Tab-separated table of all heavy atoms in Angstrom:
chain	number	residue	atom	x	y	z
A	632	ASN	N	-145.500	25.058	35.073
A	632	ASN	CA	-144.760	26.288	34.782
A	632	ASN	C	-143.322	26.015	34.380
A	632	ASN	O	-142.752	26.728	33.547
A	632	ASN	CB	-144.814	27.217	35.996
A	632	ASN	CG	-146.126	27.961	36.099
A	632	ASN	OD1	-146.502	28.737	35.242
A	632	ASN	ND2	-146.862	27.710	37.179
A	633	ILE	N	-142.709	24.981	34.959
A	633	ILE	CA	-141.352	24.594	34.562
A	633	ILE	C	-141.334	24.177	33.094
A	633	ILE	O	-140.439	24.563	32.331
A	633	ILE	CB	-140.835	23.449	35.453
A	633	ILE	CG1	-140.503	23.968	36.856
A	633	ILE	CG2	-139.591	22.806	34.833
A	633	ILE	CD1	-140.091	22.886	37.823
A	634	PHE	N	-142.334	23.398	32.685
A	634	PHE	CA	-142.403	22.960	31.287
A	634	PHE	C	-142.552	24.155	30.350
A	634	PHE	O	-141.867	24.244	29.317
A	634	PHE	CB	-143.582	21.998	31.101
A	634	PHE	CG	-143.835	21.643	29.653
A	634	PHE	CD1	-143.022	20.728	29.002
A	634	PHE	CD2	-144.873	22.240	28.949
A	634	PHE	CE1	-143.240	20.405	27.666
A	634	PHE	CE2	-145.105	21.928	27.617
A	634	PHE	CZ	-144.277	21.011	26.971
A	635	PHE	N	-143.447	25.077	30.687
A	635	PHE	CA	-143.640	26.275	29.863
A	635	PHE	C	-142.331	27.046	29.709
A	635	PHE	O	-141.962	27.477	28.612
A	635	PHE	CB	-144.693	27.187	30.490
A	635	PHE	CG	-146.105	26.700	30.316
A	635	PHE	CD1	-147.102	27.132	31.172
A	635	PHE	CD2	-146.440	25.812	29.313
A	635	PHE	CE1	-148.419	26.689	31.024
A	635	PHE	CE2	-147.742	25.358	29.148
A	635	PHE	CZ	-148.728	25.801	30.015
A	636	LEU	N	-141.631	27.211	30.821
A	636	LEU	CA	-140.414	28.016	30.804
A	636	LEU	C	-139.327	27.363	29.948
A	636	LEU	O	-138.740	28.012	29.074
A	636	LEU	CB	-139.915	28.211	32.240
A	636	LEU	CG	-138.913	29.349	32.509
A	636	LEU	CD1	-138.839	29.635	33.994
A	636	LEU	CD2	-137.526	29.000	32.000
A	637	ILE	N	-139.059	26.085	30.185
A	637	ILE	CA	-137.967	25.411	29.474
A	637	ILE	C	-138.277	25.274	27.984
A	637	ILE	O	-137.431	25.568	27.130
A	637	ILE	CB	-137.694	24.029	30.095
A	637	ILE	CG1	-137.145	24.202	31.508
A	637	ILE	CG2	-136.715	23.231	29.237
A	637	ILE	CD1	-136.888	22.885	32.222
A	638	ALA	N	-139.491	24.844	27.663
A	638	ALA	CA	-139.861	24.674	26.253
A	638	ALA	C	-139.858	26.005	25.517
A	638	ALA	O	-139.318	26.121	24.408
A	638	ALA	CB	-141.240	24.021	26.153
A	639	GLY	N	-140.443	27.031	26.125
A	639	GLY	CA	-140.514	28.337	25.480
A	639	GLY	C	-139.153	28.977	25.319
A	639	GLY	O	-138.840	29.550	24.262
A	640	GLN	N	-138.321	28.887	26.348
A	640	GLN	CA	-137.001	29.515	26.286
A	640	GLN	C	-136.101	28.836	25.272
A	640	GLN	O	-135.379	29.500	24.519
A	640	GLN	CB	-136.352	29.472	27.672
A	640	GLN	CG	-134.993	30.146	27.746
A	640	GLN	CD	-134.507	30.273	29.170
A	640	GLN	OE1	-135.152	30.903	30.009
A	640	GLN	NE2	-133.383	29.674	29.486
A	641	THR	N	-136.145	27.520	25.211
A	641	THR	CA	-135.318	26.787	24.252
A	641	THR	C	-135.729	27.107	22.817
A	641	THR	O	-134.890	27.419	21.964
A	641	THR	CB	-135.439	25.265	24.497
A	641	THR	OG1	-135.026	24.966	25.830
A	641	THR	CG2	-134.568	24.492	23.519
A	642	ALA	N	-137.029	27.044	22.548
A	642	ALA	CA	-137.527	27.306	21.196
A	642	ALA	C	-137.253	28.747	20.763
A	642	ALA	O	-136.796	28.995	19.635
A	642	ALA	CB	-139.021	27.018	21.130
A	643	SER	N	-137.493	29.710	21.640
A	643	SER	CA	-137.310	31.118	21.274
A	643	SER	C	-135.843	31.456	21.017
A	643	SER	O	-135.527	32.216	20.092
A	643	SER	CB	-137.873	32.028	22.370
A	643	SER	OG	-137.247	31.781	23.612
A	644	THR	N	-134.937	30.888	21.807
A	644	THR	CA	-133.504	31.155	21.605
A	644	THR	C	-133.018	30.574	20.285
A	644	THR	O	-132.294	31.237	19.524
A	644	THR	CB	-132.681	30.574	22.763
A	644	THR	OG1	-133.128	31.138	23.999
A	644	THR	CG2	-131.202	30.884	22.585
A	645	LEU	N	-133.411	29.355	19.981
A	645	LEU	CA	-132.998	28.722	18.728
A	645	LEU	C	-133.587	29.444	17.520
A	645	LEU	O	-132.907	29.641	16.497
A	645	LEU	CB	-133.409	27.249	18.720
A	645	LEU	CG	-132.713	26.353	19.758
A	645	LEU	CD1	-133.309	24.949	19.732
A	645	LEU	CD2	-131.212	26.293	19.492
A	646	LEU	N	-134.849	29.857	17.622
A	646	LEU	CA	-135.467	30.598	16.512
A	646	LEU	C	-134.823	31.965	16.342
A	646	LEU	O	-134.675	32.451	15.205
A	646	LEU	CB	-136.971	30.749	16.766
A	646	LEU	CG	-137.814	29.489	16.585
A	646	LEU	CD1	-139.236	29.716	17.109
A	646	LEU	CD2	-137.856	29.091	15.111
A	647	GLY	N	-134.435	32.596	17.445
A	647	GLY	CA	-133.751	33.885	17.361
A	647	GLY	C	-132.423	33.778	16.636
A	647	GLY	O	-132.065	34.624	15.813
A	648	ARG	N	-131.677	32.718	16.914
A	648	ARG	CA	-130.403	32.501	16.226
A	648	ARG	C	-130.643	32.153	14.754
A	648	ARG	O	-129.885	32.589	13.873
A	648	ARG	CB	-129.649	31.374	16.914
A	648	ARG	CG	-128.276	31.062	16.331
A	648	ARG	CD	-127.298	32.193	16.600
A	648	ARG	NE	-127.034	33.004	15.432
A	648	ARG	CZ	-126.236	34.050	15.428
A	648	ARG	NH1	-125.639	34.440	16.536
A	648	ARG	NH2	-126.030	34.740	14.335
Side-chain angles (χ1 to χ4, degrees):
N632 281 298
I633 287 176
F634 172 77
F635 285 158
L636 198 164
I637 293 178
Q640 182 171 300
T641 301
S643 58
T644 302
L645 294 175
L646 287 170
R648 182 69 255 179

